[in-house]
């Protein structure tokens, strides 16, 4: 049985800021980003979106990955997700800090 596939991750500099802001505008996606601000997690350990169908969780991760906000890498049979903070800070200085400092909904 093949392991998890490697997903593509865009260069953050090629992602329009509007796409990053769209990815961060959804409360569930923002909750994931807030949780990842403390460090990478195995996808199974991400508790920011409990009681959510696997397909919905996968879609949330896809939107964040395609906007350059997170990395989603295979680790054995699992997936490791991490915030691309350094790349986002270089491309859009202060954006992530401002979003994370805002009071949660």
């Amino acid at each position: 049985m093949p392991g998890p596939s490697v997903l593509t991750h865009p260069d953050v500099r090629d992602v329009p800021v509007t796409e990053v802001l769209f990815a961060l505008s959804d409360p569930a996606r923002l909750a994931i980003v807030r949780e990842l601000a403390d460090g990478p997690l195995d996808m199974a350990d991400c508790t920011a979106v409990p009681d959510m169908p696997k397909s919905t969780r996968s879609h949330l991760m896809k939107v964040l990955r395609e906007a350059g906000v997170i990395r989603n890498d295979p680790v054995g049979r699992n997936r490791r997700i991490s915030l691309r903070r350094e790349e986002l800070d270089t491309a859009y200085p202060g954006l992530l800090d401002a979003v994370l400092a805002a009071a949660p909904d």
Side-chain angles (χ1 to χ4, degrees):
M1 176 180 347
S5 62
V6 176
L7 300 172
T8 59
H9 296 86
D11 185 325
V12 175
R13 296 171 296 186
D14 295 335
V15 178
V17 70
T18 53
E19 200 170 317
V20 176
L21 289 170
F22 172 77
L24 297 172
S25 69
D26 177 76
R29 291 191 300 258
L30 183 56
I32 292 167
V33 171
R34 288 183 189 284
E35 188 169 7
L36 292 175
D38 294 330
L41 290 170
D42 286 334
M43 181 108 68
D45 295 333
C46 182
T47 60
V49 285
D51 303 325
M52 185 173 286
K54 186 177 178 181
S55 60
T56 303
R57 181 185 290 231
S58 293
H59 179 71
L60 295 175
M61 297 299 178
K62 178 183 177 186
V63 171
L64 289 169
R65 178 181 52 81
E66 290 179 347
V69 177
I70 66 168
R71 287 198 62 81
N72 186 332
D73 297 308
V75 177
R77 293 179 55 131
N78 297 317
R79 301 210 69 89
R80 187 100 171 139
I81 51 176
S82 58
L83 187 59
R84 296 175 68 181
R85 179 184 282 278
E86 188 173 312
E87 295 164 88
L88 286 166
D89 287 345
T90 299
Y92 304 111
L95 175 68
L96 194 55
D97 288 336
V99 169
L100 293 173
D105 290 341

